[in-house]
Amino acid sequence: MTQEDGDLDGLVRKRIRALRVAQGWSLDELAGRAKLSPSSLSRIENGQRRLALDQLVTLARALDTSLDQLVETDTDDVIVSPMLDGASGNMRWPIKAEPGMTVMRQRMTTPPPDNPASLRAHSGREWLVVLSGTAVLLLGNRRLRVETNQAAEFPTMLPHAIGTAGGPCEILGIFDREARRGHNADKKA
């Protein structure tokens, strides 16, 4: 076992204990959820028992986390700078933990289109929050006002468009891979 392996082993043990304590669970409670004996769980947390992969998977599920999160060590790139879309001026940040997910900040100055034929549909999901101003979300045949600090989440298979309600507004949106592809295709069309 290398030093790095030992560091990871100790880190995972600390995370198991920290997650258990954060949930307010005793050794008995987590052991029951993970189908382990309390003494086995205690020895795992204290480094007196070898960590087995099957136990890690079971413990991750019992702690409502993923195995990836339990063993993740890469924390070097905590700060991410935005990419600026030169054509629209929108800022985009990729989400490292969820490849394909993108956060986008957008300032809007025009209302949504009047023509229902201008609404676009594509696979995926979107989530957005209005940072300032008031946005208008056209979603199918619905017209929704989204005020500052309100959020909206919807499947992008519904025809949709977003714009401003009178004055400028600024939104922060999260797009899954399919929604992002759909919006990029809309801009090229």
Side-chain angles (χ1 to χ4, degrees), residues 31-47:
R33 291 172 187 269
K35 298 186 180 15
L36 294 170
S37 71
S39 63
S40 291
L41 178 58
S42 176
R43 289 193 310 269
I44 287 171
E45 284 186 2
N46 293 320

Side-chain angles (χ1 to χ4, degrees), residues 89-148:
N90 295 334
M91 283 189 251
R92 300 178 195 270
W93 296 266
I95 299 177
K96 183 175 159 186
E98 295 287 334
M101 297 286 285
T102 302
V103 175
M104 184 178 76
R105 179 177 163 197
Q106 186 173 9
R107 181 174 169 80
M108 302 183 141
T109 57
T110 59
D114 289 332
N115 182 355
S118 299
L119 302 183
R120 299 285 184 233
H122 48 84
S123 58
R125 289 196 69 79
E126 288 185 30
W127 178 92
L128 62 93
V129 63
V130 176
L131 302 174
S132 65
T134 301
V136 174
L137 173 62
L138 301 181
L139 197 55
N141 58 4
R142 298 167 59 197
R143 184 179 186 90
L144 306 163
R145 287 177 62 91
V146 188
E147 305 287 340
T148 300

Side-chain angles (χ1 to χ4, degrees), residues 7-108:
D7 291 346
L8 176 60
D9 184 80
L11 177 66
V12 170
R13 292 173 192 278
K14 287 177 187 173
R15 285 183 179 159
I16 290 169
R17 183 177 191 290
L19 288 169
R20 176 180 61 79
V21 169
Q23 294 284 355
W25 295 339
S26 67
L27 278 168
D28 289 338
E29 287 173 296
L30 179 56
R33 291 172 187 269
K35 298 186 180 15
L36 294 170
S37 71
S39 63
S40 291
L41 178 58
S42 176
R43 289 193 310 269
I44 287 171
E45 284 186 2
N46 293 320
Q48 298 169 350
R49 181 174 176 167
R50 189 177 123 271
L51 282 169
L53 183 58
D54 61 334
Q55 290 172 330
L56 281 177
V57 170
T58 302
L59 284 165
R61 283 187 189 131
L63 291 163
D64 195 27
T65 190
S66 69
L67 185 57
D68 288 348
Q69 289 176 331
L70 203 54
V71 300
E72 180 179 32
T73 60
D74 185 18
T75 57
D76 293 339
D77 296 332
V78 175
I79 307 297
V80 178
S81 295
M83 296 176 283
L84 189 58
D85 181 341
S88 67
N90 295 334
M91 283 189 251
R92 300 178 195 270
W93 296 266
I95 299 177
K96 183 175 159 186
E98 295 287 334
M101 297 286 285
T102 302
V103 175
M104 184 178 76
R105 179 177 163 197
Q106 186 173 9
R107 181 174 169 80
M108 302 183 141

